[in-house]
């Protein structure tokens, strides 16, 4: 008889429930939940290593939900580390396909007779599709699992990549870039998969590293595509206008290959795939209306959607325009311009994870106020370096400024997701999803305003974009958490974390005890008071809850 | 060495390599001392359009004797294909600038010949990398270092007369089209295949569990 499936969800979430798809995205959800039915505790033999449904022992230390407690990056232990590598690699491949056209733009624009407006429209289209697809991917991950979500998205959008070889006019170019752009929703499946596989103490690092390495695809492509183009031109002898079309088979074939690999080797959960595990019914414990209401009435969601639009959105914009910018302004050849452009995206190897680390360090010392200052400072420095980039006219300094700019912009993405989990506990999923979508909206708006206009050159557009980054980061000053304060105000003495998170549940729901998980989170969140106030209280809270958790087992 | 350090060293090296930008010759300062004509030699003579890859441009140039004596320093001529203003709109990468170092009007080179006062002719088969646009031909007289001294062009001062259109290749190829179709079908097909395999497996498991 098959063992009963694990309830790996929180007690007031269930399949398909809004918010559950981004559970664990930020790694600050509490690990101790005595109300969870710890099925595996019963199945695991005492003293024996924990095993999955098929009786194979896990190679990594796991917790009671069989989520890994460490991230061993240099291994591919199944299922956790294999999921990690499949996850970031599939996200990277999608970034690669979405931004495969920009490094070859000097050739493509001549072949398809594109003008600046067409190129701008295509850039907008490439990031616009993901605004919708990221929101949909959350639900797909909940219902079908991240493995199906990622692989089916990649296999369905791969034909769009191949269709790029058939395009002959600007309209076709814009349409194809639009359809390819849908695959950027693999961000959601990547983060969801990490939060299913990794314990909350390490899921922050797992998510940040996976997202950062995935974003690197936007940098790697700027190196690879010109290289492939040159090989096809010189070694195979095709004309320019045919060579770039053949070059597009590289991202297409890789995307198909990785999609199939994810389907074959991927596993949704530590114990198996969704289809293998029987689920315990579809009890919907929370109402979509309520979760949606608490998200849209929380002004902080809008502020962070805006600011994420001006760090991640700017990153997407730069991926689209920078190779052409260096080609045109500094008269570099295609390969050199691609190399310079690549350096921007490749900084993601450490910039984004470092942003998260800096946010955590600031929080350890100064609490949430530290996180807010960290986020504002890093993003504003990004804006200032963008302004300088638009002004610099010599190649050497421009490259230096570009590298600085890339660090700040990518670290700002990391710091934003250090704050997001604390905005709401009940509506975490929707707020995280809205922030992610806000990133793409920022890219759409920025490209539409500054890079579609042919009345001023690209460097002026970059200057204006820098000014806009600085302006759109100012709203962070207005983010106020009653229990922790804001950048300029201290906390209110009468409001605690528990009050803040309890306010999302009305009296009736509280009487039914639906708010208990939020209360556990509130206890954990006392760490956001900073070292002067919170650490002792937080430790006590953690220890209490831990002992409660153990006795409940 | 951390990536930041590598980037910094690289940028310093690049900075050292990049020489101080010198201003180029100003186009306005050049005299139009050459006369230039260009004719399309097309296999399909009636069309008036030049097709890339098959048609030729026959360009003949000569020194305008009314500027007698000004050609003392001319060593070579550079014949270039230039974009007409209508093909430059909204395309900053083809922009006309007075500083000839920065000017991008005539980015395609046709030929380089030795300067002779009586002039010369060249026949150029239009290469396949030429984009579709409206063009004219300009000939620069240069000295031994390649600095422009004078010019001549097939069109008038405002670049509105005597322009010709070049029809490009699409770049598409039947084999590329077929490969794209095959891979696309494979991609969607393999997804459908896997989904149906999983559905069949699931049904079998459900069937077994039901028994």
């Amino acid at each position: 008889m098959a063992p009963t499936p694990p309830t790996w969800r929180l007690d007031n979430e269930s399949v398909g429930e809004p918010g559950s798809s981004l559970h664990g995205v930020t790694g600050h959800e509490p690990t101790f939940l005595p109300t969870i039915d710890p099925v595996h505790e019963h199945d695991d033999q005492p003293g024996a290593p924990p095993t999955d449904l098929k009786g194979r022992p896990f190679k990594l230390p796991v917790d009671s939900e069989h989520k890994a407690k460490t991230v061993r990056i240099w291994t591919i232990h199944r299922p956790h580390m294999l999921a990690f590598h499949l996850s970031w690699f599939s996200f990277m491949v999608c970034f690669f396909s979405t931004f495969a056209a920009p490094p070859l733009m000097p050739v493509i624009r001549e072949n398809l007779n594109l003008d600046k407006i067409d190129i701008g429209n295509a850039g907008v289209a490439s990031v616009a599709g993901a605004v919708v697809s990221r929101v949909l991917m959350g639900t797909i991950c909940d219902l079908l699992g991240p493995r199906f979500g990622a692989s089916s998205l990649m296999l369905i959008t791969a034909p769009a990549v191949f269709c790029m070889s058939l395009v002959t006019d600007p309209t076709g170019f814009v349409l194809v870039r639009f359809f390819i752009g849908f695959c950027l929703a693999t961000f959601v499946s990547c983060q969801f998969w990490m939060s299913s596989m990794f314990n909350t103490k390490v899921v922050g690092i797992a998510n940040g590293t996976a997202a950062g390495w995935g974003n690197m695809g936007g940098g790697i492509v700027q190196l690879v595509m010109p290289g492939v183009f040159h090989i096809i031109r010189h070694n195979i002898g095709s004309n320019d206008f045919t060579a770039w079309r053949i070059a597009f088979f590289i991202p297409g074939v890789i995307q198909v290959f990785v999609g199939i690999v994810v389907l074959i080797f991927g596993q949704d959960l530590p114990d198996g795939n969704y289809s293998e595990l029987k689920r315990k019914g579809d009890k919907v414990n929370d109402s979509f209306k309520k979760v949606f209401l608490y998200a849209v009435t929380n002004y902080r969601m809008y502020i962070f959607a805006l600011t994420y639009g001006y760090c991640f959105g700017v990153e997407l914009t730069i991926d689209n325009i920078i190779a052409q910018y260096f080609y045109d302004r500094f008269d570099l050849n295609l390969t050199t311009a691609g190399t310079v452009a690549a350096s921007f995206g490749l900084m993601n190897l450490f910039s984004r994870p470092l942003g998260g680390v800096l946010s955590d360090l600031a929080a350890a010392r100064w609490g949430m106020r530290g996180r807010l200052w960290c986020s504002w400072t890093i993003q504003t420095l990004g804006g200032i370096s963008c302004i300088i980039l638009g002004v610099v006219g010599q190649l050497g300094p421009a490259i230096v400024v570009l590298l600085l700019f890339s660090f700040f912009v990518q670290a700002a993405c990391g710091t934003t997701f250090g704050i997001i989990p604390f905005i709401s506990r009940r509506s975490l999923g929707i707020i995280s999803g809205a922030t992610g979508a806000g990133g793409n909206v920022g890219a759409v708006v920025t490209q539409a305003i500054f890079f579609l206009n042919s009345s001023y050159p690209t460097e002026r557009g970059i200057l204006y974009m820098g000014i806009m980054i600085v302006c759109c980061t100012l709203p962070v000053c207005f983010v106020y958490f009653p229990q922790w304060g804001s950048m300029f105000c201290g906390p209110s003495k009468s409001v605690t974390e528990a009050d803040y998170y309890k306010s999302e549940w009305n009296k009736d729901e509280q009487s039914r005890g639906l708010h208990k998980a939020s209360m556990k989170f509130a206890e954990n969140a006392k760490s956001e008071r900073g070292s002067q106030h919170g650490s002792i209280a937080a430790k006590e809270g953690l220890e209490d809850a831990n002992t409660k958790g153990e006795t409940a087992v | 060495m951390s990536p930041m350090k590598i980037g910094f060293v690289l940028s310093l090296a690049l900075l050292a390599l990049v020489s101080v930008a010198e201003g180029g010759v100003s186009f306005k300062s050049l005299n139009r001392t050459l006369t230039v004509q260009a004719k399309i030699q097309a296999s399909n003579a009636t069309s008036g359009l030049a097709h890339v890859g098959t048609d030729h441009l026959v360009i003949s140039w000569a020194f305008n004797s009314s500027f007698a004596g000004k050609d003392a320093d001319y060593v070579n001529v550079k014949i270039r294909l230039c974009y007409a203003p209508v093909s430059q709109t909204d395309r900053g990468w083809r922009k006309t600038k007075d500083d000839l170092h920065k000017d991008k009007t005539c980015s395609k080179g046709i030929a380089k010949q030795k300067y002779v006062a009586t002039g010369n002719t060249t026949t150029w088969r239009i290469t396949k990398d030429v984009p579709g646009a409206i063009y004219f031909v300009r000939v620069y007289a240069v000295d031994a270092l390649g600095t422009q001294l004078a010019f001549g062009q097939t069109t008038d001062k405002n670049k509105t007369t005597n322009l010709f259109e070049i029809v490009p290749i699409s770049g598409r190829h039947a084999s590329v089209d077929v490969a794209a179709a095959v891979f696309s079908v494979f991609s969607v097909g393999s997804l459908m295949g896997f989904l149906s395999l999983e559905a069949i497996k699931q049904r079998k498991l459900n069937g077994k569990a039901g028994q």
Side-chain angles (χ1 to χ4, degrees):
Chain A
M1 195 184 90
T4 44
T7 42
W8 43 271
R9 300 176 289 276
L10 294 181
D11 65 329
N12 65 342
E13 289 179 353
S14 68
V15 169
E17 205 239 275
S20 55
S21 61
L22 280 148
H23 169 62
V25 157
T26 51
H28 291 274
E29 285 79 353
T31 54
F32 44 88
L33 284 160
T35 45
I36 266 188
D37 178 16
V39 175
H40 283 291
E41 295 292 344
H42 298 140
D43 286 335
D44 287 341
Q45 301 302 312
T51 59
D52 63 7
L53 277 187
K54 296 187 183 149
R56 297 175 297 208
F58 292 112
K59 295 204 183 86
L60 292 173
V62 295
D63 64 8
S64 62
E65 295 173 287
H66 287 182
K67 294 188 183 179
K69 292 201 277 195
T70 61
V71 185
R72 290 196 194 143
I73 290 183
W74 309 113
T75 63
I76 46 164
H77 294 318
R78 299 178 82 151
H80 306 96
M81 290 318 302
L82 186 61
F84 173 80
H85 290 296
L86 286 175
S87 179
W88 76 258
F89 199 73
S90 57
F91 184 38
M92 197 200 79
V93 164
C94 290
F95 239 95
F96 191 100
S97 301
T98 307
F99 295 104
L104 295 180
M105 202 59 83
V107 177
I108 300 177
R109 67 191 180 193
E110 305 294 22
N111 189 188
L112 305 181
N113 204 20
L114 306 174
D115 62 17
K116 184 168 181 178
I117 296 166
D118 297 322
I119 296 174
N121 284 336
V124 169
S126 67
V127 291
V131 173
V132 172
S133 65
R134 281 185 169 196
V135 177
L136 288 174
M137 179 59 107
T139 317
I140 293 175
C141 282
D142 277 326
L143 298 175
L144 298 173
R147 172 183 153 248
F148 268 145
S151 54
S152 37
L153 183 63
M154 291 171 79
L155 290 172
I156 289 176
T157 45
V161 182
F162 294 119
C163 279
M164 185 63 97
S165 313
L166 312 177
V167 164
T168 50
D169 62 2
T171 315
F173 185 63
V174 172
L175 275 173
V176 170
R177 286 207 74 190
F178 176 69
F179 286 115
I180 297 177
F182 277 89
C183 68
L184 281 182
T186 38
F187 169 72
V188 178
S189 67
C190 168
Q191 305 284 279
F192 182 96
W193 211 349
M194 294 296 91
S195 60
S196 304
M197 284 287 177
F198 291 93
N199 175 282
T200 51
K201 286 203 158 59
V202 292
V203 73
I205 303 246
N207 271 334
T209 311
W213 289 4
N215 283 12
M216 267 203 314
I220 292 173
V221 73
Q222 316 262 8
L223 282 171
V224 171
M225 290 303 273
V228 168
F229 173 74
H230 280 296
I231 291 174
I232 296 172
R233 263 186 72 219
H234 292 129
N235 296 27
I236 303 180
S238 311
N239 330 310
D240 285 9
F241 294 174
T242 308
W244 76 264
R245 294 167 187 278
I246 301 177
F248 260 85
F249 277 81
I250 300 295
V253 167
I254 294 178
Q255 196 169 316
V256 172
F257 177 70
V258 175
I260 293 177
V261 165
V262 168
L263 260 183
I264 297 177
F265 295 106
Q267 189 175 303
D268 295 313
L269 297 163
D271 291 312
N273 286 317
Y274 276 40
S275 52
E276 293 162 14
L277 303 167
K278 287 180 210 145
R279 281 174 281 160
K280 248 194 192 170
D282 275 6
K283 247 182 337 139
V284 178
N285 281 321
D286 205 348
S287 85
F288 176 72
K289 262 196 233 158
K290 282 276 167 60
V291 171
F292 187 72
L293 179 75
Y294 286 112
V296 298
T297 52
N298 196 328
Y299 71 93
R300 301 170 193 86
M301 174 180 92
Y302 300 101
I303 292 180
F304 284 107
L306 176 68
T307 57
Y308 197 61
Y310 281 91
C311 56
F312 183 64
V314 163
E315 187 183 338
L316 293 179
T317 303
I318 294 284
D319 280 337
N320 261 331
I321 64 154
I322 201 71
Q324 215 187 168
Y325 176 69
F326 273 88
Y327 182 91
D328 290 334
R329 187 157 191 214
F330 299 103
D331 286 321
L332 303 177
N333 65 34
L334 212 64
T335 311
T336 314
T339 310
V340 173
S343 62
F344 177 84
L346 289 172
M347 291 283 283
N348 259 306
L349 182 68
F350 57 87
S351 301
R352 186 166 174 148
L354 212 65
V357 167
L358 285 171
S359 183
D360 286 343
L361 285 175
R365 185 81 195 281
W366 297 293
M368 176 54 73
R369 293 181 77 183
R371 284 192 198 273
L372 291 169
W373 270 103
C374 187
S375 184
W376 178 83
T377 309
I378 291 181
Q379 195 158 326
T380 304
L381 284 170
I384 292 172
S385 39
C386 187
I387 293 172
I388 299 175
L389 181 67
V391 166
V392 163
Q394 281 85 42
L395 180 61
I399 295 177
V400 174
V401 174
L402 180 72
L403 292 175
L404 273 174
F405 171 51
S406 77
F407 173 76
F408 288 123
V409 135
Q410 289 154 11
C413 296
T415 59
T416 306
F417 270 88
I419 299 172
I420 296 293
F422 299 101
I423 296 177
S424 162
R425 177 60 196 85
R426 192 173 187 182
S427 310
L428 172 64
I430 292 194
I431 288 180
S432 305
T435 307
N440 278 64
V441 170
V444 167
V445 166
T446 310
Q447 284 177 92
I449 300 177
F450 299 126
F451 299 102
L452 233 60
N453 200 328
S454 55
S455 62
Y456 51 77
T458 308
E459 51 263 32
R460 196 105 71 82
I462 293 178
L463 172 73
Y464 292 157
M465 182 168 74
I467 296 174
M468 189 140 185
I469 295 173
V470 175
C471 295
C472 289
T473 310
L474 285 172
V476 175
C477 302
F478 299 115
V479 174
Y480 177 70
F481 288 92
Q483 70 276 33
W484 298 313
S486 72
M487 275 170 71
F488 299 111
C489 308
S492 154
K493 300 248 189 294
S494 54
V495 180
T496 64
E497 289 84 359
D499 298 327
Y500 180 79
Y501 293 109
K502 213 191 288 183
S503 66
E504 294 179 328
W505 305 88
N506 63 31
K507 285 276 178 276
D508 176 51
E509 288 160 339
Q510 285 179 34
S511 65
R512 283 188 280 152
L514 295 176
H515 65 297
K516 288 216 185 96
S518 290
M519 292 301 97
K520 290 293 171 200
F521 178 72
E523 198 59 38
N524 210 15
K526 280 188 184 160
S527 61
E528 296 308 302
R529 291 185 190 176
S531 61
Q532 294 96 329
H533 312 284
S535 56
I536 301 167
K539 276 192 202 143
E540 284 173 348
L542 280 168
E543 282 162 12
D544 282 348
N546 263 329
T547 37
K548 275 188 211 154
E550 282 162 15
T551 49
V553 164
Chain B
M1 256 175 115
S2 72
M4 285 288 278
K5 274 196 199 150
I6 294 172
F8 187 63
V9 168
L10 219 81
S11 57
L12 279 178
L14 277 162
L15 192 58
L17 283 172
V18 169
S19 56
V20 175
E22 293 163 9
V25 176
S26 157
F27 182 69
K28 287 201 190 94
S29 68
L30 298 179
N31 286 323
R32 193 172 168 166
T33 61
L34 303 173
T35 55
V36 186
Q37 277 120 35
K39 260 194 303 240
I40 301 171
Q41 194 182 74
S43 43
N44 179 3
T46 52
S47 68
L49 303 167
H51 288 84
V52 145
T54 50
D55 298 345
H56 295 76
L57 277 182
V58 182
I59 300 146
S60 45
W61 58 272
F63 182 64
N64 186 343
S65 48
S66 58
F67 291 93
K70 294 237 163 126
D71 63 341
D73 297 322
Y74 298 178
V75 176
N76 293 310
V77 298
K78 285 185 180 168
I79 306 170
R80 302 193 75 85
L81 189 66
C82 310
Y83 295 106
V86 65
S87 291
Q88 289 176 303
T89 51
D90 290 332
R91 289 176 174 86
W93 57 90
R94 294 179 184 171
K95 203 163 177 190
T96 298
K97 287 214 174 115
D98 191 51
D99 179 346
L100 285 176
H101 256 198
K102 297 190 179 154
D103 180 47
K104 309 239 171 130
T105 323
C106 303
S107 46
K108 182 73 187 158
I110 295 176
K112 188 173 164 184
Q113 294 180 315
K114 281 237 167 305
Y115 172 73
V116 180
T118 47
N120 209 338
T121 307
T122 183
T123 305
W124 179 64
R125 184 151 123 184
I126 306 171
T127 52
K128 287 188 176 172
D129 61 350
V130 173
I134 314 282
Y135 294 91
F136 61 95
V137 175
R138 183 180 285 170
V139 179
Y140 287 111
V142 299
D143 65 9
L145 293 168
T147 316
Q148 299 90 341
L149 301 169
F151 78 100
Q153 61 190 25
T154 55
T155 183
D156 65 354
K157 190 172 170 206
N158 293 324
K159 300 180 272 188
T160 49
T161 59
N162 207 15
L163 306 168
F164 57 93
E165 186 176 347
I166 293 185
V167 176
I169 52 164
S170 73
R172 281 180 64 175
H173 211 262
S175 53
V176 173
D177 294 352
V178 168
V182 166
F183 278 107
S184 303
V185 167
F186 175 73
S187 173
V188 179
S190 55
L191 177 67
M192 296 296 137
F194 270 103
L195 287 178
S196 28
L197 266 175
E198 299 248 356
I200 293 171
K201 246 201 274 176
Q202 191 63 26
R203 245 179 265 147
K204 275 204 192 134
L205 282 172
N206 287 343
K208 275 198 191 145
Q211 282 163 8

